[in-house]
């Protein structure tokens, strides 16, 4: 199975989105709320990449959304969280009382 240009753009954009998501995420939020935010961003990524690649049809939109969700999740768990970048951004942009970083 080969990926379309829209799906490749969704994956590429999804790979760099975790730090952007971390700006909005708050350390005090539950994992479920953080997961929902990631899914909302994946939906927006999929819609945008399908639209801007002139492939705004049902199947392409859905595959772009799914591709973005997988790319965001994999990138976060393999690069952005282990490196401490995403958690550091969450701590730096937190609006509530400071909470120690995970593992500290």
């Amino acid at each position: 199975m080969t990926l379309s240009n829209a799906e490749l753009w969704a994956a590429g954009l999804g790979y760099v989105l975790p730090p952007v998501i971390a700006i909005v995420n708050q350390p005090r939020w539950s994992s479920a709320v953080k997961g929902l935010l990631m899914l909302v961003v994946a939906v927006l990524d999929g819609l945008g990449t399908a639209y801007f690649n002139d492939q705004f049809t049902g199947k392409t939109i859905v595959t772009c959304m799914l591709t973005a969700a997988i790319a965001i999740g994999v990138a976060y768990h393999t690069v952005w969280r282990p490196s401490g970048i995403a958690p550091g951004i969450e701590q730096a942009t937190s609006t509530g009382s400071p909470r120690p970083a995970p593992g500290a």
Side-chain angles (χ1 to χ4, degrees), residues 9-26:
W9 274 105
L13 186 57
Y15 186 80
V16 297
L17 279 173
V20 176
I21 295 169
I23 293 170
V24 177
N25 274 344
Q26 299 292 300

Side-chain angles (χ1 to χ4, degrees), residues 37-82:
L37 178 62
M38 186 274 298
L39 288 176
V40 168
V41 171
V43 166
L44 294 173
D45 181 355
L47 288 170
T49 54
Y51 178 78
F52 287 112
N53 281 282
D54 293 326
Q55 297 178 358
F56 203 70
T57 61
K59 181 182 177 189
T60 304
I61 293 169
V62 171
T63 56
C64 285
M65 288 178 193
L66 293 173
T67 302
I70 291 169
I72 291 169
V74 168
Y76 177 77
H77 288 287
T78 60
V79 175
W80 299 109
R81 186 177 66 179

